[in-house]
Amino acid sequence: DYSNARPWVASSPSQEAASVLIRNREMIVADILKSSVATTNFGLPSDEAELDDAMRSLATILCEDSDTYNDETVQQCRENQYVKALAAFLDHRMCVPRDMGTLSA
């Protein structure tokens, strides 16, 4: 299993990625807000609350292989209009292992 020999990580790579997103969400949101590329090229909002909501929705989707969330919650998160744009921006912006670490990448 993914985390058997590593008790300091989440139980799956996607859950570890969600954990990193949530732990660093304030810095990620600040990075997005200071980047005109994020709002112009990726269609992300310039509102901190909407970005935080999109970040939490993306983290929930990444955790959907666990029993933590029900299907309705995950579906609501998928319907967030900024989740896909956020995922695309993070894919463009993040540097592995600097930002994410090799375990969750």
Side-chain angles (χ1 to χ4, degrees), residues 4-72:
N4 282 347
R6 301 174 295 225
W8 60 90
V9 300
S11 59
S12 73
S14 61
Q15 290 175 2
E16 182 64 17
S19 174
V20 171
L21 286 175
I22 293 301
R23 280 194 316 265
N24 296 300
R25 76 180 181 281
E26 290 175 359
M27 289 186 300
I28 295 169
V29 167
D31 182 58
I32 291 170
L33 291 175
K34 71 179 183 182
S35 170
S36 63
V37 170
T39 55
T40 305
N41 295 357
F42 289 91
L44 289 171
S46 57
D47 179 73
E48 187 172 341
E50 288 180 316
L51 286 170
D52 188 68
D53 186 52
M55 187 81 60
R56 291 171 189 268
S57 293
L58 180 57
T60 300
I61 293 166
L62 289 168
C63 290
E64 85 174 292
D65 62 338
S66 72
D67 293 328
T68 306
Y69 302 103
N70 63 39
D71 292 338
E72 185 178 325

Side-chain angles (χ1 to χ4, degrees), residues 28 32 44 51 54-55 58 82-91:
I28 295 169
I32 291 170
L44 289 171
L51 286 170
M55 187 81 60
L58 180 57
Y82 299 115
V83 167
K84 289 181 183 178
L86 176 62
F89 174 77
L90 292 174
D91 181 54

Side-chain angles (χ1 to χ4, degrees), residues 2 6 9 13 16 20 95-105:
Y2 178 74
R6 301 174 295 225
V9 300
E16 182 64 17
V20 171
C95 177
V96 175
R98 180 197 75 199
D99 295 325
M100 186 61 75
T102 55
L103 294 177
S104 55

